[in-house]
Structure formats: structure tokens, C-alpha cells
Amino acid sequence: MKRLIIVYNPRSSHYSRVDHEVLSKARKLKGWMVGKFEVADTDVDDNSHRLAKVFRDDDLVIAAGGDGTATIAINGIMLSDAKNVRIGVLGFGNFNDTARSFGDVKFEDIIKGDAKEVWPLECKINREHWRYGMCYFTVGMFAEACAVFDHPKTRKALRN
């Protein structure tokens, strides 16, 4: 049986849309074993390592969230031992840069197998692996500037 793993963050700005446009559709799929990976309120590396243990050969992954959720899914795949894992990214964040890298795809497109081949970038610090990224890395001042989106008041305002 085909496996679909949906990676999502219930604390993301547009989670209600994820529930309606992705999770509810996944519940109705026939011929698929559907699993959900809820991003924990820890960090990218912790979530990626936990997610890497979930994947099996030939899994299909949908990252439904913002750039952080997509980064977790991409790193989880790259860190896993699974082969031929495919991913589709649906943007439900504030900027959705990673989703735009994958093109304008919908849930149904991903399930049908419409996919692009991608090659994540690898970032090394002092020649040691740090993280994989699809379109950019945030470090230093820029990363701190982005941290403002994690503040509860900002998240609430963005949901509106």
C-alpha cells in the first residue's frame, strides 16, 4: 500500500487552512496509508531527526505549512535512510518561499505524482554538516529578524 506522510505545524499562521485543505482531503483518500507528523515546539534539528525515523522507501511526503515546516520535511528526508522519498510542498505560511520553489502545485497534483526533481543545498559550518535547505539559509541577523514571527501576538495578528 502507498504511504503518504503529511508534515504540518499546528502553530502555523494558517493551520486552519491546512486542516481543511490538506488533512481533511487526506482522510478521504482510498488506497493510501496516511500518516501525520506534527511539528513539535522544539527546533528544526530535533523535528528533522525525529521525522527521519518515520520514512520508508517510496514514501510520498506533503509538507503543509510555512518555510520552517518545509525545511523540517526536507531535512527529515535527507537524514533518513529511506530511498526514493518524494515530496510536495504546499505553502501555508507567511512567505512560502520553499513552496514557490516547487511551483504552483495543489494537493491533488502531488497525489497524482506531478513532481519536480530537486537538489537541496547543504550548509556546512567548519566543514561539518549543519542543515539542508531548498532555497536559502537564514543565519545571524536575518534569522533573528525572522524570529519576530514566533511571538504569540505576531502569530495572532497574522492569522487575522
Side-chain angles (χ1 to χ4, degrees):
M1 180 172 276
K2 298 180 282 187
R3 284 179 22 129
L4 170 64
I5 309 296
I6 300 171
V7 181
Y8 68 98
N9 183 347
R11 292 169 304 287
S12 68
S13 303
H14 303 286
Y15 171 71
S16 62
R17 288 186 49 221
V18 172
D19 189 39
H20 175 70
E21 297 176 32
V22 180
L23 297 174
S24 66
K25 289 180 181 181
R27 289 183 199 105
K28 298 173 187 170
L29 286 175
K30 303 270 190 260
W32 288 86
M33 179 186 298
V34 178
K36 299 184 303 183
F37 180 86
E38 184 175 296
V39 172
D41 193 11
T42 56
D43 60 36
V44 170
D45 299 316
D46 173 66
N47 279 288
S48 298
H49 282 94
R50 287 186 313 104
L51 181 58
K53 296 174 185 175
V54 171
F55 294 128
R56 305 284 182 266
D57 292 351
D58 303 312
D59 277 351
L60 175 60
V61 179
I62 293 179
D67 292 317
T69 301
T71 297
I72 289 166
I74 290 164
N75 279 272
I77 291 168
M78 297 300 291
L79 295 170
S80 77
D81 293 327
K83 294 172 180 45
N84 196 37
V85 176
R86 296 164 294 125
I87 184 172
V89 178
L90 300 173
F92 291 96
N94 298 309
F95 300 108
N96 303 314
D97 293 328
T98 307
R100 282 196 295 273
S101 296
F102 281 82
D104 184 27
V105 296
K106 308 266 185 287
F107 177 85
E108 295 78 13
D109 300 328
I110 297 168
I111 297 300
K112 285 190 295 188
D114 293 349
K116 290 182 177 181
E117 192 167 3
V118 296
W119 298 274
L121 306 167
E122 181 180 19
C123 180
K124 293 182 178 183
I125 298 175
N126 297 326
R127 297 190 179 117
E128 297 290 323
H129 170 78
W130 177 61
R131 194 174 286 163
Y132 294 98
M134 210 28 243
C135 54
Y136 59 77
F137 293 97
T138 55
V139 293
M141 184 76 144
F142 186 63
E144 285 299 316
C146 291
V148 71
F149 292 108
D150 285 335
H151 191 276
K153 282 186 177 180
T154 304
R155 286 238 174 250
K156 186 176 180 181
L158 289 170
R159 282 190 184 99
N160 293 331

